[in-house]
């Protein structure tokens, strides 16, 4: 029988060190490889979404300004 008091768990998903491939332990927190992967993917998704928003802003601002100019609307 395994002593639960000595078993480490991921502080994010709660899985034990035996249920994951890797558990990184810090001074105050533990994180498993699955949660690291999920957080990395979320970060990448955010960067992509933010990058697309910036590109749309750069393209659409002049387009909208030209549209408003020809429609007689002040900018």
């Amino acid at each position: 029988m395994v002593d639960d008091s000595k078993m480490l768990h991921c502080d994010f998903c709660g899985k034990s060190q035996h249920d994951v491939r890797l558990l990184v332990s810090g001074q105050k927190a533990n994180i498993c490889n699955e949660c690291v992967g999920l957080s990395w993917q979320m970060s990448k998704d955010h960067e992509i979404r933010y990058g697309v928003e910036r590109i749309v802003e750069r393209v659409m601002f002049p387009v909208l300004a030209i549209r408003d100019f020809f429609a007689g609307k002040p900018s």
Side-chain angles (χ1 to χ4, degrees):
M1 182 159 182
V2 178
D3 183 5
D4 285 343
S5 65
K6 294 181 182 178
M7 190 180 310
L8 298 176
H9 292 83
C10 177
D11 289 312
F12 296 89
C13 69
K15 291 181 182 176
S16 79
Q17 66 193 51
H18 300 295
D19 295 331
V20 296
R21 190 173 46 189
L22 177 67
L23 186 72
V24 179
S25 296
Q27 289 181 342
K28 296 184 179 184
N30 304 314
I31 188 168
C32 71
N33 61 293
E34 295 171 8
C35 289
V36 168
L38 180 60
S39 65
W40 182 85
Q41 186 60 50
M42 290 170 57
S43 174
K44 284 300 181 192
D45 290 347
H46 175 75
E47 287 178 24
I48 291 168
R49 189 170 35 255
Y50 179 74
V52 168
E53 288 173 2
R54 295 292 300 150
I55 290 169
V56 169
E57 286 175 6
R58 289 180 185 164
V59 170
M60 290 306 295
F61 179 76
V63 170
L64 294 175
I66 291 168
R67 179 199 68 186
D68 291 346
F69 175 77
F70 286 110
K73 297 178 183 177
S75 299

